[in-house]
Amino acid sequence: MSTTWHILGAGSLGTLWAARLARAGVPVRLILRDKVRLASYQAAPGLTLVEQGVAHTYPVIGETPDSPQPIRRLLVACKAYDAQSAIAQLQHRLAPDVELILLQNGLGSQDAVAAQLPQARCIFASSTEGAFRDGDWRVVFAGHGYTWLGDASHPTPALWLDDLQAAGIPHEWSTDILTRLWRKLALNCAINPLTVLYQCRNGELQAHQCEVATLCAELAQLLEYCGQPAAAADLQHEVERVIHATAANYSSMYQDVANARRTEISYLLGYACQAATRHQLNLPHLQQLQVRLVEQLLARGLPHD
Ligand code: NAD
Ligand code: KPL
């Protein structure tokens, strides 16, 4: 019997992974916040995945954090700001050889979790897949993409990549996962805050080309200082390419703000500005962007961390 995948966080990505693993016959258990959420889930027929307009429901087993079964493989699918506290609730259930797969966007939460669990193997992930919930226990697979997985302290690939293959989850083991995460962070810093400030789709940033270019230059400088020259290479062109390729989309941060949800600012722009401060690097436009974004969040009554 293969190792059970415990999935922490039944949101968009957690449900997308759980449904595909379950569809492939891989053992999966979904960890819900509490008894109330579990009762709600148990009243539903399972998790529903909508792909190209077609819905299928998978009867994945649900449980609460205090369920007795030990955990050997944990997919952490919470937001970056929830990851540490959500994992802390499970600490007593984690087997000595537990492996965690951290799906969080940005940087900062992964290191915090790794420090919280020094014995665990922490695998970092960077995903370009897109999903959103259109109802309780229901997720729409909105954007096909790829997930890179890697262990910053151990280059050996994880043994369970076969499960992902079987589940049809496009993936690749990456020996430079930090470079990928830094690159994605830089892209998100150059695009997402501006879409919030200008209240626009990604494509409308083509009208703010100079501002984007200035931010890219500062971000590239930061990446170099942080020992990530590969993530800095040709950053502006990549940002322009993404703005063009996703022109009709609203960025994830725009969507969070529009739906009055907390953003992951501390793990994106906040993390970048902190790294600049640590290196005594003056990046005036990036720092000003953070001030403007925080003001905008405060004006909307949203958390600014
Ligand atoms: P989400 O808000 O849809 O899901 C997070 C889930 O975690 C929620 O259901 C929440 O209730 C649950 N949760 C939080 N604390 C918990 C706890 N203590 N116990 C149990 N459950 C708990 O978020 P998402 O969109 O799936 O994003 C997850 C991460 O993946 C984020 O860092 C995001 O940036 C990243 N990401 C998302 C997408 C996407 O398309 N949704 C794409 C790429 C990366
Ligand atoms: O990842 C993104 C997001 O919206 O979070 C893109 C589309 C790259 C914009 O930064």
Side-chain angles (χ1 to χ4, degrees), residues 27-104:
V28 182
R29 294 174 79 96
L30 198 60
I31 303 174
L32 304 166
R33 263 179 203 278
D34 51 31
K35 287 199 176 85
V36 174
R37 290 301 285 159
L38 181 60
S40 156
Y41 177 62
Q42 286 173 338
L47 291 179
T48 299
L49 171 61
V50 183
E51 263 183 298
Q52 283 155 355
V54 183
H56 285 287
T57 300
Y58 304 93
V60 174
I61 296 170
E63 62 180 41
T64 55
D66 57 8
S67 164
Q69 203 193 42
I71 297 173
R72 294 190 56 211
R73 187 174 301 148
L74 182 67
L75 179 77
V76 183
C78 307
K79 288 283 173 69
Y81 47 75
D82 280 329
Q84 267 186 288
S85 58
I87 292 167
Q89 291 177 288
L90 301 174
Q91 205 132 345
H92 62 290
R93 295 178 57 190
L94 302 180
D97 60 348
V98 66
E99 286 185 283
L100 279 81
I101 299 101
L102 305 173
L103 279 182
Q104 289 60 51

Side-chain angles (χ1 to χ4, degrees), residues 6 45 78 92 120 196 218 241 269 281:
H6 280 89
C78 307
H92 62 290
V196 173
E218 290 191 355
R241 189 195 65 75
L269 190 53
L281 188 58

Side-chain angles (χ1 to χ4, degrees), residues 208-232:
H208 301 274
Q209 215 174 357
C210 283
E211 194 170 8
V212 171
T214 307
L215 288 172
C216 287
E218 290 191 355
L219 284 161
Q221 211 185 333
L222 175 67
L223 292 170
E224 298 274 358
Y225 263 76
C226 292
Q228 294 294 333

Side-chain angles (χ1 to χ4, degrees), residues 4 8 35 46 62 98 103 105 131 134 139 145 151 169 172-173 195 216 248 254 257 261 271 279 289 298:
T4 297
L8 177 58
K35 287 199 176 85
V98 66
L103 279 182
N105 202 9
D134 74 340
V139 68
D151 178 344
I169 298 175
E172 193 176 301
W173 184 257
T195 63
C216 287
Y254 176 100
V257 172
R261 290 190 301 245
Y271 187 89
H279 289 285
L289 184 67
L298 287 173

Side-chain angles (χ1 to χ4, degrees), residues 105 127-128 184-193 195 202 242-243 246 249-255 268:
N105 202 9
S127 183
T128 58
K184 177 98 190 307
L185 177 140
L187 280 168
N188 287 163
C189 286
I191 298 173
N192 299 12
T195 63
N202 293 352
V242 171
I243 286 175
T246 62
N249 299 355
Y250 287 108
S251 78
S252 55
M253 190 179 272
Y254 176 100
Q255 291 179 48
L268 298 165

